[in-house]
């Protein structure tokens, strides 16, 4: 679910860039400006909702690793090769 939210974040950022570009270059094309704005805001808000849900229900931030003894031990075994 976190990967879906991250992908939505990237696509939402692309649509927000398209929105700004069309606002500057095509001020007369209002339907396209509105569509890009709605898509960008929808994707970015959906991403925030997914990350918030993951944080609350899993008691874990999807963006930051846990800072527990088990996580430190796993890190030392996997990355450094020592326990």
């Amino acid at each position: 679910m976190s990967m879906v939210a991250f992908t939505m974040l990237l696509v939402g950022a692309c649509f927000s860039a398209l929105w700004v570009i069309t606002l500057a270059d095509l001020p007369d094309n209002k339907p396209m400006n509105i569509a890009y704005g709605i898509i960008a805001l929808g994707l970015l808000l959906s991403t925030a909702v997914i990350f918030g849900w993951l944080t609350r229900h899993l008691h874990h931030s999807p963006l930051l690793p846990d800072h527990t003894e088990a996580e430190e031990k796993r890190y030392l075994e996997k990355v450094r090769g020592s326990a």
Side-chain angles (χ1 to χ4, degrees):
M1 195 64 167
S2 182
M3 286 299 297
V4 171
F6 181 70
T7 305
M8 289 172 57
L9 179 67
L10 293 177
V11 173
C14 291
F15 271 104
S16 65
L18 285 173
W19 183 29
V20 171
I21 290 170
T22 58
L23 282 174
D25 288 342
L26 305 170
D28 298 334
N29 196 350
K30 300 233 187 273
M32 186 170 30
N33 293 340
I34 293 170
Y36 284 155
I38 290 173
I39 292 170
L41 291 174
L43 287 170
L44 295 174
L45 287 175
S46 298
T47 300
V49 167
I50 290 172
F51 281 156
W53 184 85
L54 287 172
T55 301
R56 276 193 312 275
H57 289 288
L58 299 178
H59 304 291
H60 165 71
S61 172
L63 302 175
L64 299 172
D66 291 335
H67 187 64
T68 61
E69 288 184 26
E71 185 67 24
E72 288 178 23
K73 183 179 176 187
R74 186 194 67 78
Y75 170 78
L76 291 174
E77 288 176 356
K78 184 175 182 179
V79 177
R80 294 187 180 171
S82 63

